Every structure is written in C-alpha cells, then in structure tokens.
Amino acid sequence: RGFKILLEILARSRGAAIAEVGYTFRPRQHGESKLTASIALAYLVALYDLKFGRFVPLRFVKYALVGLSGIFINALAFWLARNSLELRDSRALVLAILVSIASNFFLNNFFTFSDRRLAGFRNLLWGYLKYNFICLGGAFINYAITMNLRNDFALNIDAANLVGVGVATFWNYFINLNLTWGQKSA
C-alpha cells in the first residue's frame, strides 16, 4: 500500500525480531515531500484496517457514518419542508425520507464505495433504483423486527427499534455491497 509498506510488514510479522536503526536525514535540497494530508489519512486508515478490519470492515464503518448523516439530513429536510414549504406533516415526512435516501445513496457512492463508484447517468439511475428497493426491504425488516420484539417479547419500543435498525443496517449494507456496488474494483 504505497508509503505504508513498513507498517504492513511490522503488523503482519508476528514474532519477528524487529529493531530500530537511527538515521538523520539531511535538509532537503530539491523537490518537495510526498507526505500529504491524504497520505497521513491513508496511514490512519491502514492502522484501523490492520487492527480492526477483520472484525468490522472499514467500508461498513463508512456506510454506518453515511447512515448517521442521513438522520440529520432527514431531520433538516423535515424541518424545512414543514416550516419553509409549509407542507403537512405526512407530506413533509415523505419528502424528508426521499431526500435522506438520495443523500445516502450519493454519499455512499462517493465515500463508502469510492473504489466501485457508479458513473454515468444510466449507471447512477439504475444504482439509485436498486438502492431504493434494497432500503425498502431494510425498512420492512426494521418494522417487522421492531413490532415482533415489542408485541411478542414485550420489549421497550425504543430498544426494539434499535435492534430493528441494526439488523436492517446489516441487510442494507451487505445487499448493497453485492448488488448496487457489486462490481469488483479495478
């Protein structure tokens, strides 16, 4: 992985004898350092991936972060639809849901699945339709689990909803990973 190769060697060399050999660089006379903020971020990402990636893939963490942003986008869109557009609650809610789903799709396309990014109008439209259909399945899963836990197991509705959201999130992630952004990275 580029400049981080020593990190990978150290992380994957269990039980190897490793020692530090000091070296003092002379002041740079030509050119510029290749160390940029993106390289430093890539280093931190590699650290996460090497330590926790086999348990919780970084792509899932990104997907969850996009999902969390969708909550705030939904709330903002709902507020704007009610207060600026003066829509009734039910219509404002539908608009807020549509805005947050669209936002999540495009953020996931740009951020979570950047190595599999959908490009071109046709691919984006087809991906967006698949994403909506898959998330609709997630919504049904969330609803069914929440109501089942509340009605059949007398679980608090908020706790039941959290379980439903968690299962739906995994569903949405894995199905979207394989169907919406299923092509292999180049």
Side-chain angles (χ1 to χ4, degrees):
R1 295 184 193 171
F3 295 107
K4 303 168 299 305
I5 192 164
L6 180 59
L7 172 67
E8 296 223 15
I9 291 170
L10 293 173
R12 297 178 193 280
S13 299
R14 305 265 186 236
I18 299 170
E20 181 177 348
V21 177
Y23 182 82
T24 304
F25 286 93
R26 292 184 303 215
R28 182 180 297 275
Q29 294 178 1
H30 304 287
E32 299 178 2
S33 172
K34 294 179 188 87
L35 181 62
T36 63
S38 65
I39 297 293
L41 179 61
Y43 182 80
L44 293 174
V45 166
L47 279 176
Y48 172 88
D49 198 34
L50 289 166
K51 186 69 175 171
F52 305 109
R54 65 180 173 263
F55 305 113
V56 181
L58 182 62
R59 190 183 304 270
F60 180 77
V61 172
K62 289 176 163 183
Y63 190 86
L65 288 173
V66 168
L68 284 175
S69 77
I71 293 169
F72 296 106
I73 290 168
N74 180 290
L76 177 63
F78 185 65
W79 184 86
L80 288 171
R82 289 179 64 222
N83 295 304
S84 296
L85 300 177
E86 299 179 1
L87 295 178
R88 292 188 330 235
D89 285 353
S90 60
R91 290 186 178 174
L93 182 59
V94 168
L95 181 61
I97 290 169
L98 292 174
V99 167
S100 63
I101 287 173
S103 166
N104 282 7
F105 171 75
F106 288 105
L107 285 172
N108 276 315
N109 193 51
F110 177 77
F111 177 62
T112 308
F113 299 101
S114 60
D115 61 325
R116 301 175 177 196
R117 188 173 294 147
L118 302 174
F121 178 77
R122 191 177 196 174
N123 289 334
L124 280 170
L125 179 61
W126 182 237
Y128 182 68
L129 292 173
K130 284 193 282 188
Y131 183 81
N132 275 273
F133 185 72
I134 291 164
C135 290
L136 180 62
F140 284 124
I141 289 169
N142 183 1
Y143 181 83
I145 288 173
T146 301
M147 297 311 291
N148 186 290
L149 289 175
R150 189 194 80 178
N151 294 336
D152 296 346
F153 297 96
L155 192 63
N156 171 287
I157 189 72
D158 295 318
N161 187 42
L162 275 177
V163 173
V165 165
V167 173
T169 298
F170 283 110
W171 158 269
N172 288 344
Y173 170 73
F174 285 110
I175 301 300
N176 276 307
L177 172 68
N178 292 300
L179 294 182
T180 307
W181 288 280
Q183 74 273 15
K184 299 296 180 215
S185 59

